[in-house]
Amino acid sequence: MEIRQLAGALGAEVLGLDLTSEIFDTEFASVRDALHGNGVICIRGQEAMTPEDQLAFAAKWGEVSIHPYVPSIEGYPGIMKIYDPNPITQTWHSDSTHMREPHAYTLLLARVLPEVGGDTMFASATRAFESLSPGLQELLRSLSAVHEGTSLAADAGLDHEAVVAVHPMVRVHPDTGAEALFVNGNYVTRIDRWTLEESRPLLEHLYGVIGRYENTYRHRWCSGDLVIWDNRLTQHAVVGDVAGEERVLHRVTIAGSALV
């Protein structure tokens, strides 16, 4: 097994690992450390991986989460079909931050890819926070933000209170101690105890910092790529340039814990 860094801010690839077979504990520990150190990793060459294989490997990372309002693919609870890019997936975000215990990890396996396009952008929320002035960092550590589910939650009949959570705007990673911005344009509606008008300028500034080129890595998908990212350290967004071509990926998320 070989691990190679892909960009300065975040991102690494893992070569020589077959996830259709049982992997050693030492190999998994190396993969986990690579993820915590790089925010996002791509395990290449997993074309033969079945849904059973994906769920079995995902279980090594923790409890597989069932999305509260987006259905799983038939017969495989916990695997969600990701397809056409849309305004939600094209916005910088971490997965399901409207939950009181947001997802820790996401595992996304390429199944059908367009000839060109459909890349996924990743951003280091840790690098973004580190780039801020000490004064702004101190302020953000004292603030929380309100996260709300998208319109899909209402369409599924969920009560609004079931998809609303208040989280610190700076998240401390439980394994590494790294601090990261924890606000995103998909789910955050305002800063807690601030008005919408007061919240908007600061939030827009932070979103712009997250998406700066020097904080990002662009993943160009290849057949068999299994991409794993740490939602506590990163944000992501799809590039919506597939021009109607089919793009199918299978997503599994791992349950997280309440923020402190």
Side-chain angles (χ1 to χ4, degrees):
M1 184 176 69
E2 181 183 2
I3 299 172
R4 299 191 303 201
Q5 191 172 354
L6 292 171
L10 74 169
E13 63 179 354
V14 180
L15 306 172
L17 194 62
D18 180 4
L19 297 180
T20 64
S21 302
E22 185 67 24
I23 66 172
F24 297 114
D25 290 344
T26 53
E27 291 177 316
F28 179 74
S30 295
V31 171
R32 184 186 58 222
D33 290 346
L35 180 61
H36 289 167
N38 294 280
V40 55
I41 59 173
C42 174
I43 305 178
R44 305 283 192 187
Q46 305 308 309
E47 292 93 340
M49 200 175 199
T50 65
E52 291 88 353
D53 293 330
Q54 187 176 2
L55 287 170
F57 180 65
K60 290 181 176 294
W61 296 88
E63 179 188 353
V64 172
S65 178
I66 309 297
H67 198 282
Y69 55 83
V70 178
S72 301
I73 64 175
E74 186 174 356
Y76 298 100
I79 299 183
M80 182 192 301
K81 180 181 177 182
I82 303 296
Y83 45 100
D84 298 337
N86 59 66
I88 294 175
T89 59
Q90 292 179 71
T91 303
W92 285 113
H93 66 286
S94 298
D95 286 327
S96 300
T97 63
H98 64 278
M99 298 173 65
R100 290 177 176 82
E101 297 182 348
H103 296 141
Y105 306 106
T106 301
L107 299 85
L108 193 60
L109 177 63
R111 289 299 191 189
V112 179
L113 297 173
E115 186 173 346
V116 294
D119 297 351
T120 301
M121 300 292 300
F122 293 92
S124 170
T126 301
R127 287 285 189 105
F129 181 70
E130 291 172 348
S131 72
L132 301 175
S133 67
L136 184 51
Q137 289 178 347
E138 183 177 359
L139 172 64
L140 293 174
R141 291 188 185 104
S142 70
L143 298 175
S144 296
V146 179
H147 299 240
E148 301 186 25
T150 67
S151 60
L152 293 175
D155 295 343
L158 270 70
D159 181 76
H160 182 254
E161 292 303 312
V163 289
V164 176
V166 178
H167 299 305
M169 291 178 65
V170 178
R171 182 168 192 174
V172 179
H173 195 281
D175 296 304
T176 68
E179 293 180 297
L181 283 177
F182 201 69
V183 292
N184 68 85
N186 249 7
Y187 297 111
V188 171
T189 53
R190 59 182 174 84
I191 298 171
D192 190 34
R193 302 198 301 165
W194 290 27
T195 66
L196 292 173
E197 292 75 15
E198 292 168 339
S199 302
R200 189 173 297 113
L202 178 54
L203 291 174
E204 290 297 334
H205 172 69
L206 297 176
Y207 301 155
V209 172
I210 289 167
R212 287 177 181 166
Y213 296 140
E214 63 268 26
N215 295 330
T216 65
Y217 157 65
R218 182 169 180 153
H219 184 73
R220 183 175 183 181
W221 290 91
C222 295
S223 177
D225 281 356
L226 176 68
V227 173
I228 310 170
W229 61 88
D230 191 326
N231 281 289
R232 300 162 296 187
L233 297 174
T234 68
Q235 294 190 25
H236 58 282
V238 66
V239 180
D241 60 350
V242 298
E245 288 194 58
E246 188 176 17
R247 178 184 185 270
V248 176
L249 306 102
H250 283 178
R251 191 187 92 166
V252 179
T253 51
I254 304 302
S257 57
L259 278 69
V260 295

